[in-house]
């Protein structure tokens, strides 16, 4: 009986050891994929773990084990989910943006989001955006429209006095600066946006809501809608040119979800919304690659407005302009401003 128990313990030990070796192989494989083609895996491990070249070589060749502490350091440095090494791809550990309950939190949200995109600022990056709502990057800046969007977010997310009118709302300079960093990443990237007929609906509805509530003056409501049309006209103009950095797709079938995928040669990051501004963020290789394939599949089933004739592009934008004009007429007629 004792002999059998000893044998069982030895077998269990062997299986655990083999499993650990397999996990080490998985970790090394993931790191290898994340490195550029010219980078040395052994030198990278040596630098990150602050160990000698020979010690790093032994870990890569699996003559030495990677400790738990070293695995955590490697996962943090290379943005790998430690959990992903053990669950065979069935689970993904994600980061999330800061919960927003104050204006300071909103500033931190933009700062944190910008920090997650630093890898994409100075490189040839691509962005895929499933635009359920007009992309955040178009409503950043010093315009009346951008100020209104910040006012909406404040009212829906922060613990504030909901009776404060838009006209009394003041934008903090720190908030403006932190949000502009996000716009720099967008402007410097090759952008692929998927829109449909409802992409602008939430913005128009927000104007109606605060106007009907008496918290937004008719004059500013009309100016915001005019600025929205101007922004859309710029998007239409950009999509009508042979622009290698901007691609606009029209999809009539899918309900879009505001997922955003950033990628360059060495990194991929997927942002998945769970609240109005809150996002889960993952750099998991399998997840981001699957997300890219799904985006490409959506693109295949969409109409590229850059490449279509003027008629198709005009039809798409004219429907949106007409929708905005109808709401402007409603606001104007309500107070007999025509």
């Amino acid at each position: 009986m004792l002999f059998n128990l000893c044998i069982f313990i030895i077998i269990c030990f062997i299986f655990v050891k083999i499993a650990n070796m397999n996990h080490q192989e998985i970790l090394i494989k993931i790191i290898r994929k994340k490195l550029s083609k010219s980078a040395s895996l052994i030198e990278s491990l040596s630098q990150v773990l602050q160990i000698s070249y020979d010690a790093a070589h032994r870990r890569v060749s699996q003559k030495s084990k990677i400790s738990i502490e070293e695995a955590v350091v490697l996962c943090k440095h290379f943005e790998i989910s430690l959990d992903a090494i053990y669950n065979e791809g069935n689970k993904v550990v994600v980061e999330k943006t800061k919960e927003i309950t104050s204006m300071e939190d909103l500033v931190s949200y933009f700062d944190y989001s910008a920090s997650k995109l630093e890898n994409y600022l100075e490189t040839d990056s691509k962005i895929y955006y499933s635009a359920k709502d007009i992309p955040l990057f178009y409503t950043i800046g010093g315009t009346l429209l951008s100020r209104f969007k910040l006012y909406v977010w404040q009212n829906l997310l922060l613990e504030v006095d909901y009776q404060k009118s838009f006209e009394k709302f003041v934008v903090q300079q720190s908030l403006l600066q932190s949000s502009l960093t996000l716009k720099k990443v967008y402007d410097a990237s090759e952008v692929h946006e998927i829109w449909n007929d409802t992409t602008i609906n939430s913005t128009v509805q927000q104007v109606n809501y605060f106007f009907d509530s008496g918290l937004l003056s008719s004059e500013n409501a009309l100016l915001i809608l005019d600025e929205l049309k101007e922004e859309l006209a710029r998007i239409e103009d950009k999509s009508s040119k042979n622009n290698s950095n901007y691609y606009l797709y029209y999809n009539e079938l899918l309900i879009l979800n505001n997922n955003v995928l950033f990628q360059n040669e060495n990194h991929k990051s997927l942002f998945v919304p769970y609240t109005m501004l809150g996002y889960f963020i993952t750099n998991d290789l399998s997840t981001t690659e699957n997300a890219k394939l799904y985006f490409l599949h959506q693109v295949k089933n969409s109409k590229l407005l850059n490449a279509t004739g003027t008629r198709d592009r005009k039809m798409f934008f004219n429907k949106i302009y007409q929708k905005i004009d109808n709401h402007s007429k409603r606001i104007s007629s309500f107070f007999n401003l025509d």
Side-chain angles (χ1 to χ4, degrees):
M1 182 72 177
L2 181 60
F3 175 78
N4 289 337
L5 179 60
C6 290
I7 294 296
F8 175 75
I9 292 173
I10 291 172
I11 292 173
C12 288
F13 177 78
I14 292 173
F15 273 116
V16 169
K17 189 170 183 178
I18 291 172
N20 286 337
M21 293 297 285
N22 287 337
H23 296 145
Q24 183 162 326
E25 287 179 8
I26 293 170
L27 177 57
I28 294 297
K29 184 178 180 181
I30 293 173
I31 294 173
R32 194 187 301 274
K33 286 183 177 180
K34 281 185 167 281
L35 292 173
S36 63
K37 294 178 181 179
S38 60
S40 166
L41 174 61
I42 297 174
E43 287 181 0
S44 297
L45 261 63
S46 174
Q47 293 173 4
V48 174
L49 297 178
Q50 297 183 345
I51 57 178
S52 69
Y53 185 92
D54 287 342
H57 182 273
R58 288 195 297 272
R59 284 159 175 76
V60 171
S61 63
Q62 300 191 46
K63 293 178 181 178
S64 296
K65 289 185 181 180
I66 294 176
S67 69
I68 293 177
E69 289 77 13
E70 290 175 337
V72 171
V73 171
L74 291 171
C75 287
K76 185 175 181 180
H77 179 84
F78 291 104
E79 298 182 324
I80 301 168
S81 164
L82 187 60
D83 183 64
I85 301 170
Y86 297 93
N87 62 43
E88 299 179 352
N90 294 323
K91 296 180 182 178
V92 177
V93 175
V94 299
E95 297 181 68
K96 67 184 183 72
T97 51
K98 183 177 178 60
E99 301 297 338
I100 301 172
T101 59
S102 68
M103 188 60 71
E104 290 71 24
D105 290 341
L106 193 54
V107 174
S108 296
Y109 165 86
F110 283 114
D111 286 339
Y112 176 78
S113 299
S115 71
K116 299 304 296 181
L117 299 180
E118 286 180 351
N119 290 326
Y120 305 97
L121 187 56
E122 302 293 337
T123 59
D124 293 330
S125 300
K126 293 183 180 180
I127 299 174
Y128 296 89
Y129 202 123
S130 175
K132 177 181 179 181
D133 303 312
I134 186 168
L136 168 71
F137 306 96
Y138 293 121
T139 56
I140 290 175
T143 65
L144 193 68
L145 174 61
S146 65
R147 181 180 155 213
F148 174 70
K149 295 299 284 190
L150 289 171
Y151 173 75
V152 171
W153 297 334
Q154 172 193 259
N155 276 271
L156 296 180
L157 296 172
L158 312 188
E159 297 174 357
V160 297
D161 180 6
Y162 285 89
Q163 300 305 309
K164 185 176 182 179
S165 69
F166 170 71
E167 284 67 35
K168 295 180 180 179
F169 174 65
V170 178
V171 179
Q172 295 183 13
Q173 188 63 28
S174 58
L175 180 59
L176 183 61
Q177 288 301 120
S178 59
S179 64
L180 286 175
T181 303
L182 292 177
K183 186 169 175 57
K184 287 180 181 178
V185 177
Y186 207 70
D187 291 341
S189 302
E190 178 184 305
V191 177
H192 298 256
E193 293 174 2
I194 304 172
W195 288 41
N196 63 19
D197 295 321
T198 65
T199 294
I200 69 158
N201 283 9
S202 64
T203 299
V204 173
Q205 184 56 37
Q206 288 158 5
V207 173
N208 284 329
Y209 174 84
F210 285 100
F211 168 70
D212 291 340
S213 301
L215 298 174
L216 174 65
S217 70
S218 56
E219 291 82 3
N220 277 329
L222 293 172
L223 286 173
I224 291 168
L225 292 175
D226 284 343
E227 282 196 4
L228 179 59
K229 281 189 67 175
E230 291 171 5
E231 187 62 52
L232 290 167
R234 283 190 285 271
I235 296 171
E236 179 185 4
D237 180 64
K238 190 163 55 171
S239 68
S240 68
K241 298 176 179 177
N242 188 18
N243 191 328
S244 60
N245 283 325
Y246 184 74
Y247 301 88
L248 180 63
Y249 302 87
Y250 172 44
N251 192 299
E252 301 180 69
L253 299 176
L254 288 173
I255 297 176
L256 305 177
N257 54 18
N258 285 336
N259 281 3
V260 192
L261 177 68
F262 294 82
Q263 75 158 63
N264 58 24
E265 183 180 357
N266 300 317
H267 302 277
K268 287 192 187 78
S269 300
L270 178 65
F271 287 65
V272 180
Y274 69 96
T275 62
M276 173 174 282
L277 285 181
Y279 279 85
F280 293 123
I281 308 167
T282 181
N283 301 307
D284 177 73
L285 288 174
S286 175
T287 303
T288 54
E289 185 59 29
N290 286 335
K292 179 183 176 181
L293 292 174
Y294 181 62
F295 270 112
L296 294 178
H297 181 69
Q298 290 184 69
V299 163
K300 286 181 180 179
N301 290 284
S302 302
K303 185 179 294 183
L304 176 60
L305 295 180
N306 303 59
T308 61
T310 302
R311 177 179 175 275
D312 287 337
R313 187 169 53 252
K314 281 292 184 184
M315 285 180 61
F316 172 74
F317 280 98
N318 284 342
K319 282 191 292 185
I320 297 178
Y321 296 146
Q322 186 62 52
K323 185 181 298 185
I324 297 172
D325 288 341
N326 289 340
H327 288 280
S328 294
K329 289 177 182 178
R330 170 185 172 271
I331 293 172
S332 296
S333 63
F334 192 86
F335 283 100
N336 297 315
L337 296 179
D338 285 336

